[in-house]
Amino acid sequence: MRILILGAAGMVGRKLTAQLVTDGHLGNKPIDTLTLVDVVEPELPEGFSGKGAAMALDIAGPGMVETLIAQRPDVVFHLAAIVSGEAETDFDKGYRINLDGTRALFDAIRLEGRDGSYYPRVVFTSSIAVFGAPFPEVIPDDFLTAPLTSYGTQKAIGELLLADYSRRGFFDGIGIRLPTICIRPGRPNKAASGFFSNILREPLVGQEAILPVSEDVTHWHASPRAAVGFLIHAATMDLAALGWRRNVTMPGLAATVGEQIEALRRVAGDKAVKLIRREPDPLIRKMVAGWPTAFDARRAAALGFTAETTFDEIIRIHVEDELDGRI
Amino acid sequence: MRILILGAAGMVGRKLTAQLVTDGHLGNKPIDTLTLVDVVEPELPEGFSGKGAAMALDIAGPGMVETLIAQRPDVVFHLAAIVSGEAETDFDKGYRINLDGTRALFDAIRLEGRDGSYYPRVVFTSSIAVFGAPFPEVIPDDFLTAPLTSYGTQKAIGELLLADYSRRGFFDGIGIRLPTICIRPGRPNKAASGFFSNILREPLVGQEAILPVSEDVTHWHASPRAAVGFLIHAATMDLAALGWRRNVTMPGLAATVGEQIEALRRVAGDKAVKLIRREPDPLIRKMVAGWPTAFDARRAAALGFTAETTFDEIIRIHVEDELDGRI
């Protein structure tokens, strides 16, 4: 089978790539071709026995996605996006990549399959940023998408396009709304939600981290490992169970920042917790105030998606996967 | 004040134009300039004392909306759309006008106002087609938009853009989700919902009409007169009350086709009812099965929008406004 990953150089893209290379198959089918695409050239991990390709290109550039889709990948993972903070500060760039790029991809598939001979699976990573306050205490699966960021708006539009293109038979699509991924490895990116990871990741390696919001902020999280699990399940499950509601809020764990910090204390002690420096940031606080807190993600559970149930587990996964088990 | 109406040759556009010309003002402000635009040249009614202009143009054509927005209208009514049936049969045309045209308009306003000197009111007619089955018995204001037509998808995307562009301060926008307008005057158009009007309008003038669905189909209606009322209220009310949820389901009347027919019998007698010919249409039945039935439109009521409460009233409005009071 042929797999295309857009946004393969991002954190989730790299983790997904590594998992696919380790597995060598997706579902029951061996992976023959793996094409990795991002705005910077992604790294193809060693040990892949099939045909691999990695390239840097702009998905919103003329003819770019058409070239990729002409190879007729069986599964397209569309993870490419300008993240929330940057989409808010650079209006044009956010719309260009997150809306125009996504639409160009979907249209390339539609046109490639005009004669009925091409019908791939499309897995689109959406985000809980499609939701905006005010919220009920727990957000149900049929709650409206009223985003309060341009990023969330662009993701919500991507979801609508994905559902319509699926309904019209152009591809077999699923949009998965990722919780805020925690703990993000590596260096901070421009996502406004980065601090949720920073306040755990940095203290775990003896570094200071800044907490820009108060400890009573509640948010919805899952680990990078869970995210890869969502993506692979989305790529292999029978989508008929979704009907035409092709976008699903992924399961996660609702926790306050205070609960995150207590989990850090249990796993890594007071010394780690002391490295968190409070430095309130009005802009981040304002953005976070519009973000969702907790979901009743029943559909996802019924469809077989699973995530962590304690923050201790989320931290331990980071220690295992990123720190070789050592604190 | 300067007013621009896009989609002015359509049924609602013509009724709105007529009302504005009769009133001579919008809110408390006299109307100095009225620009009417559609894909065919709209008719400027007699009796307008200000500066009127009517023109045919393609809102998705290059530079078209920019020219209109360069005139800096204070209020933009965006009613232009490819209707549901046609957007379903002509995929490209629907996306081109309903998505690209709407985005071009919103972007033209954004760019015109770059220096902060232009900030118009934008009234966008959305539709209850943004919702798709399965539904609760009564649909609340915070129900998700999961459309089952390309038209509904395009309107839902327009709503998201309108909300984001309003939040970012590019214009002061409101999207009003119109119920299915009943009784539509004039000749049938390509809207799949046309039969709801046809089965009343045609018998009222002694003509036969076709009913393609069963009598237990429930749907959500308001009169053309109510629609004009919604538009004028949306153009003049203080939008701060909406917060950033700038799209509002308009009030209406939930009625079965059977109840519509009984109202026709009360107003126009058995003779009229006998002119309705049952001719089931599987395609229309299938589309209608995905449409919403009844709403709890509390937000709209709290914001001062009002509609009819009986179907007899809806029929009488048609007799008054279209048939000079004569049956």
Side-chain angles (χ1 to χ4, degrees), chain A residues 2-4 65-66 68-76 105-122 169-172:
Chain A
R2 290 185 292 267
I3 296 179
L4 169 64
V65 284
E66 288 78 355
L68 298 169
I69 294 305
Q71 305 300 314
R72 300 201 164 197
D74 301 294
V75 176
V76 178
L105 172 67
F106 293 175
D107 269 332
I109 297 170
R110 172 171 74 91
L111 296 172
E112 181 68 24
R114 251 174 314 193
D115 64 0
S117 65
Y118 179 56
Y119 181 70
R121 171 69 51 103
V122 175
F170 303 142
F171 54 68
D172 198 21

Side-chain angles (χ1 to χ4, degrees), chain B residues 23-311:
Chain B
D23 294 347
H25 60 85
L26 180 63
N28 297 321
K29 294 179 191 157
I31 302 169
D32 307 312
T33 305
L34 183 58
T35 305
L36 308 178
V37 173
D38 209 310
V39 67
V40 295
E41 189 174 313
E43 209 172 310
L44 185 71
E46 283 175 34
F48 180 58
S49 59
K51 195 182 150 205
M55 60 192 85
L57 64 77
D58 171 6
I59 61 163
M64 290 291 108
V65 282
E66 288 79 354
T67 310
L68 298 169
I69 294 305
Q71 304 301 313
R72 300 202 164 195
D74 301 293
V75 176
V76 178
F77 289 101
H78 177 27
L79 321 178
I82 301 299
V83 295
S84 57
E86 192 173 8
E88 202 62 18
T89 52
D90 191 335
F91 181 87
D92 289 313
K93 190 172 180 183
Y95 272 91
R96 184 170 176 282
I97 301 299
N98 296 348
L99 173 46
D100 296 330
T102 296
R103 193 168 166 210
L105 172 67
F106 292 175
D107 268 333
I109 297 170
R110 172 171 74 90
L111 296 171
E112 181 69 24
R114 253 174 313 195
D115 64 359
S117 67
Y118 178 56
Y119 182 69
R121 171 70 50 102
V122 175
V123 180
F124 170 59
T125 49
S126 184
S127 161
I128 55 171
V130 298
F131 299 105
F135 296 115
E137 202 172 327
V138 175
I139 303 172
D141 279 320
D142 61 6
F143 196 69
L144 87 167
T145 56
L148 290 173
T149 57
S150 292
Y151 173 78
T153 300
Q154 293 144 11
K155 286 292 186 187
I157 293 173
E159 287 191 0
L160 284 161
L161 293 172
L162 175 119
D164 197 41
Y165 281 51
S166 293
R167 186 185 62 80
R168 299 203 56 146
F170 303 142
F171 55 68
D172 199 20
I174 176 169
I176 61 174
R177 293 179 189 137
L178 295 182
T180 293
I181 299 303
C182 198
I183 298 171
R184 287 184 63 87
R187 297 174 54 194
N189 75 352
K190 290 184 186 173
S193 56
F195 70 86
F196 288 115
S197 286
N198 301 350
I199 58 166
L200 304 174
R201 185 190 59 240
E202 301 303 307
L204 282 170
V205 293
Q207 302 289 320
E208 223 180 41
I210 289 165
L211 174 62
V213 301
S214 66
E215 293 198 10
D216 61 353
V217 164
T218 301
H219 200 53
W220 186 247
H221 300 280
S223 74
R225 200 192 276 180
V228 170
F230 300 156
L231 286 162
I232 290 178
H233 187 55
T236 52
M237 67 179 288
D238 181 356
L239 297 185
L242 274 72
W244 295 129
R245 291 198 183 157
R246 290 303 184 105
N247 299 287
V248 185
T249 301
M250 290 293 103
L253 172 64
T256 64
V257 169
E259 285 165 351
Q260 284 189 258
I261 293 172
E262 286 318 302
L264 176 67
R265 195 187 308 276
R266 283 190 294 273
V267 175
D270 288 336
K271 204 178 52 174
V273 170
K274 284 199 181 113
L275 290 165
I276 301 170
R277 206 173 75 222
R278 273 93 181 144
E279 202 172 282
D281 180 323
L283 182 67
I284 291 181
R285 264 170 57 179
K286 193 178 155 223
M287 286 181 79
V288 171
W291 291 353
T293 50
F295 292 86
D296 180 9
R298 282 187 211 190
R299 279 188 84 206
L303 293 165
F305 291 96
T306 55
E308 293 79 20
T309 54
T310 71
F311 233 100

